[in-house]
Amino acid sequence: MTATDQLLFEGADWDFRTLQRICDACEQIARDELKLDVYPNQIEVITAEQMLDAYSSVGMPLFYKHWSFGKHFAFQEASYRKGLMGLAYEIVINSSPCISYLMEENSATMQTLVIAHAAFGHNHFFKNNYLFKQWTDADGILDYLEFAKRYVAHCEERHGRLAVEHTLDAAHALMSHGIDRYPGKKSLDLRAEEKRAGRRRAHEESAFNDLWRTVPGGKVKSGAILDVERRRQMLGLPQENLLYFLEKTAPRLRPWQRELLRIVRHIAQYFYPQSQTKVMNEGTATYVHYCIMSRLHQQGRLTDGNFLEFLQSHTNVVFQPEFDDPRYSGFNPYALGFAMMQDIERIVTNPEAEDREWFPDIAGKGDAMGVLRDIWANYRDESFISQFMSPRLMRHFRMFHLHDDPEDRSGILVDAIHDERGYRRLRRELARQYDVGFIDANIEVVDVDLAGDRRLMLHHTVVKGAQLDEADTKRVLQHLADLWSYDVSLVEADASGTVLKEYVANPRNIAAAA
Amino acid sequence: MAIHIVDRRLNPGSKSLENRQRFLRRAKALVQGAVKKSSQDRDIKDVLEGGEVSVPIDGMDEPRFRREGGTRDMVLPGNKKFVEGDYLPRPNQSGGKGRGAGEGDSEDTFRFVLSRDEFVDLFLDDLELPDLAKRKLAEVETEGIRRAGYTTSGSPANISVSRTVSRALTRRVALRRPRPEVLAALEAELAGCRDEARRAELMAEIEALKTKMRRIPFIDPIDIRYRRFETVPKPVAQAVMFCLMDVSGSMTEHMKDLAKRFYMLLYVFLKRRYRHVEIVFIRHTDRAEEVDEQTFFYGPASGGTLVSSALQAMHDIVRSRFKPADWNIYAAQASDGDNSFADGEVAGRLLTDKILPVSQFFAYLEVGQENGLSYEMPNSSLWTLYEGLRASGAPLSMRKVNERSEIFPVFHDLFKRRSQPERSAS
């Protein structure tokens, strides 16, 4: 192609032919120069209202109906109206084809930015990062969501909206504890999952025999016979995936309720990699859009004016307020991710002595894109930061580490700052902030009292003295007890085994009401 | 690999509508509380406008296992002066929480925009407006007929002759149908012509013209046009609501609030029934005046009580501005029931002779003290007067109200009782 000296567009207006030209130009750079490997792209132009819609169903094009999505919509609409929140320029979905939503209000420059960012940056990351490969099924997700939507609607028809709502409320409350954290038996195959669900249902219907309901239940085996270890093994305990445990073993759930739990669990699992790779994912996408836009400008396909417009939004996106700034609300993943990607590029191509000492493997290697692609594929936020945060960057952000111990009357301790002594500690602490294993409370099912009242026993291992919020915990446990349909207890204990607090919840009779 | 670009803008938006309705249903009690609260602070006319209400978000939150407290470690950007080992003063217990933890920064309440219908539904729903409302609504309009151009089909009675003929003429001219005069002229020429060749020529020409005339008829079915009529809904009429309130010293804020609520209901109710509703506010002590809403409810006034002054004022206003033939006239009077003894007869006469005959309905609301018991209230002079009128069959209803919660049942009662004889009569 010799179109390189030709402007893609002028001014701010675009039409669909322009979009196509932009896509082609971005794709050429992404493929030939950055050597990105992406899912097929699909770009959808939508209105602001549709963008709000998409927000409220966690960015998914189709989702089952539930009031909490309506709540989010109302909340977001309200803050959008008040002007508290601008709309995102884009939403991108980890699916194959990879769908990017573009808002019609964006200017031509913004569309270019968004296409480079989402359709190539995020898309490459989704396709190549090991967590997404391990946990998500990009080919199957849209079909699976369609199935989930149909299934929930079907349940509402059959069992009533209220019963379904109860079950989903309970499942949502446990959603963050419905995840397998360690790759185990098999990766997710949502299409097969959907087929299996269909077969299960068909089987239940064909095997349904009203007689069974009148057959007296066998005597409950005395728990004393089973020794504790064996019992725990049979139940797969300890189990930290609460939704999975309930779905498999809760004694009185109806089959459709189990299926709902499974749906919520699969969706939680699908989003799990996203929560672990926020910095990397945004960093990658931002780095890619920056490369592509700069390249387009060099090729003479963007005017200086348009490039300036791009730089301005880019700068806004990667702006990191300092801790004493009223706008500060933690590290901006775009800023941190992008800075790290650029820093790695610098280390690879133009290292200093310090970098050679800290990063002997990559310093001066020369092939920045090669190194980055490798990093994008094989790390998550926590390991990425603990490996690649350089002293230079810590100085750049002037990072410091605070240790707040409520027992310590003298105040909050500045534990480390960006100096020789502090680099490693800072890096370790920052990485910890992105460790999902550390962020979520560590709650496990430890036992079921089969001999007695079938009480389900949970255990929260308290780390660094952080206990559960009482009001919320009671409500979540109530949901849990409703699903389990017998008593549920939760013990909070610290590492030494000292019990700090105990909760008990009794089931309300929702399964029967359902 | 071509990139697929799709324009979704024309796809139906508001996919969240269903979810929004679910949310509303779920949050009904909360939203209703908010609606009630917001309608308290509103003017009567604004009640129907819908609008923003604040819904407490914590009533609707979704619980999760969350950790809090304990020792916290955080890495922050933007160090300017700290060195290792420094101590920062701990911010106040409440203020310091959440900052930097990145959690829990949700708002306590959020503003929620309700559409007009959602608002009125929730407003009325709380009051359980009975099916009475629907019955009334159905009577809103009658059908009228009006001309609506022409059509190619219809009944013979509706043929428009002039339109049909003019179309026929146009067609004849366009197709060059020979005019009868031309033919007559040719025939006259033929009659007086002796030249054989010329005669043959003329006869051929006449023959051709006649064929053409046969082929192009004077009136063709395609010329025919019928007058078209369409039915249009015609609003029955308009309504005016008179709010009469006693504002003498004995009326407390609580009583006025009760009255306001009653007027509000009446207004919403009438607004749903009529396209056009006017409200007239009349307040009176021993003399009456027409005022705006603000003054009506909040303006200070005091003095003796002369109910007849308000009735007289209403009568005057009706005479000058609202012809009973064109307007449905409603009146709602709120009072604590005290009237000067001598006024009873005057008021009674005004009502029976002037006001009740032109009114659709006259509601009398006797408002009492908070925490009072309505059945323990001795009958006031006004009550006794109205009681007598009602017994003689006037379209008048009366109730005593002490509590806000009684307003709706009373309202319902008042209207239900009235609508029954009316319906059986019609």
Short mmCIF file of all heavy atoms in Angstrom, two decimals, chain B residues 17 37 71 77 91 95 101 105 114 117 144 174 187 217-218 261 263 294 302 311 314 318 376 423:
data_model
loop_
_atom_site.label_atom_id
_atom_site.label_comp_id
_atom_site.label_asym_id
_atom_site.label_seq_id
_atom_site.Cartn_x
_atom_site.Cartn_y
_atom_site.Cartn_z
N LEU B 17 -34.53 -1.00 30.67
CA LEU B 17 -35.84 -0.59 31.16
C LEU B 17 -36.43 -1.66 32.08
O LEU B 17 -36.91 -1.36 33.16
CB LEU B 17 -36.77 -0.33 29.98
CG LEU B 17 -38.07 0.33 30.39
CD1 LEU B 17 -37.79 1.71 30.94
CD2 LEU B 17 -39.03 0.42 29.23
N LYS B 37 -42.19 12.10 50.45
CA LYS B 37 -41.45 13.18 51.05
C LYS B 37 -41.31 14.33 50.05
O LYS B 37 -41.47 15.49 50.40
CB LYS B 37 -40.06 12.69 51.46
CG LYS B 37 -39.57 13.36 52.72
CD LYS B 37 -38.35 12.67 53.25
CE LYS B 37 -37.43 13.68 53.89
NZ LYS B 37 -36.51 14.34 52.97
N THR B 71 -4.35 -3.83 60.73
CA THR B 71 -3.25 -2.98 60.27
C THR B 71 -3.33 -2.86 58.77
O THR B 71 -3.69 -3.81 58.07
CB THR B 71 -1.90 -3.59 60.66
OG1 THR B 71 -1.80 -4.86 60.00
CG2 THR B 71 -1.80 -3.79 62.16
N PRO B 77 1.53 7.54 45.86
CA PRO B 77 2.42 8.37 45.07
C PRO B 77 2.48 9.79 45.63
O PRO B 77 1.58 10.21 46.34
CB PRO B 77 1.74 8.37 43.71
CG PRO B 77 0.29 8.26 44.01
CD PRO B 77 0.17 7.51 45.32
N PRO B 91 -5.65 10.82 60.68
CA PRO B 91 -6.84 11.68 60.54
C PRO B 91 -7.94 11.21 61.48
O PRO B 91 -7.88 10.10 61.99
CB PRO B 91 -7.25 11.51 59.08
CG PRO B 91 -6.50 10.34 58.56
CD PRO B 91 -5.37 10.05 59.48
N GLY B 95 -13.18 10.28 59.46
CA GLY B 95 -12.75 10.85 58.19
C GLY B 95 -11.66 10.04 57.53
O GLY B 95 -11.57 9.99 56.31
N ALA B 101 -8.10 3.38 51.04
CA ALA B 101 -8.45 1.97 51.04
C ALA B 101 -9.17 1.62 49.74
O ALA B 101 -9.23 0.47 49.35
CB ALA B 101 -9.34 1.65 52.22
N ASP B 105 -16.68 4.28 49.12
CA ASP B 105 -16.92 5.68 48.86
C ASP B 105 -18.25 5.87 48.13
O ASP B 105 -18.39 6.73 47.29
CB ASP B 105 -15.77 6.31 48.07
CG ASP B 105 -15.42 5.49 46.85
OD1 ASP B 105 -15.99 4.39 46.72
OD2 ASP B 105 -14.59 5.93 46.06
N LEU B 114 -37.60 10.01 38.23
CA LEU B 114 -38.79 9.23 37.89
C LEU B 114 -39.53 9.94 36.79
O LEU B 114 -39.61 11.16 36.77
CB LEU B 114 -39.71 9.12 39.10
CG LEU B 114 -39.22 8.29 40.27
CD1 LEU B 114 -40.17 8.45 41.43
CD2 LEU B 114 -39.11 6.85 39.86
N ASP B 117 -45.25 9.40 34.85
CA ASP B 117 -46.17 8.30 35.15
C ASP B 117 -45.70 7.50 36.35
O ASP B 117 -46.50 7.11 37.19
CB ASP B 117 -46.32 7.38 33.94
CG ASP B 117 -47.27 7.98 32.93
OD1 ASP B 117 -47.94 8.97 33.29
OD2 ASP B 117 -47.34 7.48 31.80
N GLY B 144 -65.91 12.92 18.31
CA GLY B 144 -66.49 13.91 17.43
C GLY B 144 -66.14 13.51 16.01
O GLY B 144 -65.31 12.64 15.80
N ALA B 174 -57.25 16.73 -20.37
CA ALA B 174 -55.95 16.12 -20.55
C ALA B 174 -55.96 15.13 -21.70
O ALA B 174 -55.01 15.05 -22.48
CB ALA B 174 -55.53 15.43 -19.25
N GLU B 187 -70.88 19.16 -37.55
CA GLU B 187 -72.12 18.62 -38.13
C GLU B 187 -72.88 19.69 -38.91
O GLU B 187 -73.42 19.43 -39.97
CB GLU B 187 -72.98 18.03 -37.01
CG GLU B 187 -72.53 16.61 -36.70
CD GLU B 187 -73.30 15.96 -35.56
OE1 GLU B 187 -73.90 16.70 -34.75
OE2 GLU B 187 -73.28 14.70 -35.49
N PRO B 217 -65.11 8.70 -21.59
CA PRO B 217 -66.44 9.04 -21.09
C PRO B 217 -66.45 10.39 -20.37
O PRO B 217 -65.40 10.91 -19.99
CB PRO B 217 -66.72 7.90 -20.10
CG PRO B 217 -65.39 7.39 -19.71
CD PRO B 217 -64.47 7.61 -20.86
N PHE B 218 -67.65 10.88 -20.23
CA PHE B 218 -67.81 12.16 -19.56
C PHE B 218 -67.38 12.06 -18.10
O PHE B 218 -66.63 12.88 -17.58
CB PHE B 218 -69.28 12.60 -19.64
CG PHE B 218 -69.48 14.00 -19.15
CD1 PHE B 218 -69.10 15.08 -19.96
CD2 PHE B 218 -70.03 14.24 -17.90
CE1 PHE B 218 -69.28 16.37 -19.50
CE2 PHE B 218 -70.20 15.54 -17.45
CZ PHE B 218 -69.83 16.61 -18.25
N ARG B 261 -52.93 18.16 51.57
CA ARG B 261 -52.87 16.80 51.03
C ARG B 261 -54.18 16.43 50.33
O ARG B 261 -54.19 15.79 49.28
CB ARG B 261 -52.61 15.81 52.15
CG ARG B 261 -51.19 15.67 52.39
CD ARG B 261 -50.89 15.34 53.81
NE ARG B 261 -49.48 15.53 53.95
CZ ARG B 261 -48.60 14.65 53.50
NH1 ARG B 261 -49.00 13.52 52.97
NH2 ARG B 261 -47.32 14.90 53.59
N TYR B 263 -56.29 18.49 48.93
CA TYR B 263 -56.36 19.24 47.67
C TYR B 263 -55.46 18.62 46.61
O TYR B 263 -55.80 18.52 45.43
CB TYR B 263 -55.94 20.69 47.87
CG TYR B 263 -56.87 21.47 48.77
CD1 TYR B 263 -56.38 22.29 49.78
CD2 TYR B 263 -58.24 21.40 48.59
CE1 TYR B 263 -57.22 23.01 50.60
CE2 TYR B 263 -59.10 22.11 49.43
CZ TYR B 263 -58.59 22.91 50.42
OH TYR B 263 -59.43 23.61 51.22
N GLN B 294 -49.05 29.71 47.21
CA GLN B 294 -48.10 30.01 48.28
C GLN B 294 -48.80 30.70 49.46
O GLN B 294 -48.70 30.27 50.60
CB GLN B 294 -46.99 30.88 47.70
CG GLN B 294 -45.68 30.76 48.43
CD GLN B 294 -45.16 29.33 48.47
OE1 GLN B 294 -45.44 28.53 47.57
NE2 GLN B 294 -44.43 29.00 49.52
N SER B 302 -55.34 35.88 59.92
CA SER B 302 -56.03 35.57 61.17
C SER B 302 -57.29 36.42 61.25
O SER B 302 -57.42 37.42 60.55
CB SER B 302 -55.10 35.84 62.36
OG SER B 302 -55.74 35.53 63.54
N LEU B 311 -67.95 31.27 50.29
CA LEU B 311 -68.93 30.74 49.36
C LEU B 311 -69.37 31.83 48.37
O LEU B 311 -69.52 31.59 47.18
CB LEU B 311 -70.14 30.19 50.12
CG LEU B 311 -69.81 28.99 51.03
CD1 LEU B 311 -71.04 28.60 51.86
CD2 LEU B 311 -69.33 27.81 50.21
N MET B 314 -66.65 32.32 45.86
CA MET B 314 -66.67 31.25 44.88
C MET B 314 -67.78 31.49 43.86
O MET B 314 -67.57 31.37 42.65
CB MET B 314 -66.88 29.90 45.58
CG MET B 314 -67.09 28.76 44.61
SD MET B 314 -67.19 27.17 45.45
CE MET B 314 -67.82 26.15 44.12
N VAL B 318 -67.29 31.92 39.88
CA VAL B 318 -67.96 31.04 38.92
C VAL B 318 -68.73 31.88 37.91
O VAL B 318 -68.65 31.66 36.70
CB VAL B 318 -68.93 30.08 39.65
CG1 VAL B 318 -69.85 29.39 38.65
CG2 VAL B 318 -68.15 29.04 40.44
N GLU B 376 -64.78 11.49 68.49
CA GLU B 376 -65.06 12.17 69.76
C GLU B 376 -65.33 13.65 69.59
O GLU B 376 -65.72 14.33 70.53
CB GLU B 376 -63.87 11.99 70.72
CG GLU B 376 -63.92 10.64 71.42
CD GLU B 376 -62.80 10.50 72.43
OE1 GLU B 376 -61.99 11.45 72.56
OE2 GLU B 376 -62.75 9.45 73.08
N ARG B 423 -73.89 6.80 38.89
CA ARG B 423 -73.80 5.79 37.85
C ARG B 423 -75.13 5.08 37.66
O ARG B 423 -75.56 4.83 36.55
CB ARG B 423 -72.73 4.78 38.20
CG ARG B 423 -71.36 5.36 38.13
CD ARG B 423 -70.33 4.27 38.01
NE ARG B 423 -70.44 3.60 36.72
CZ ARG B 423 -69.96 4.11 35.61
NH1 ARG B 423 -69.39 5.29 35.60
NH2 ARG B 423 -70.08 3.47 34.48
#
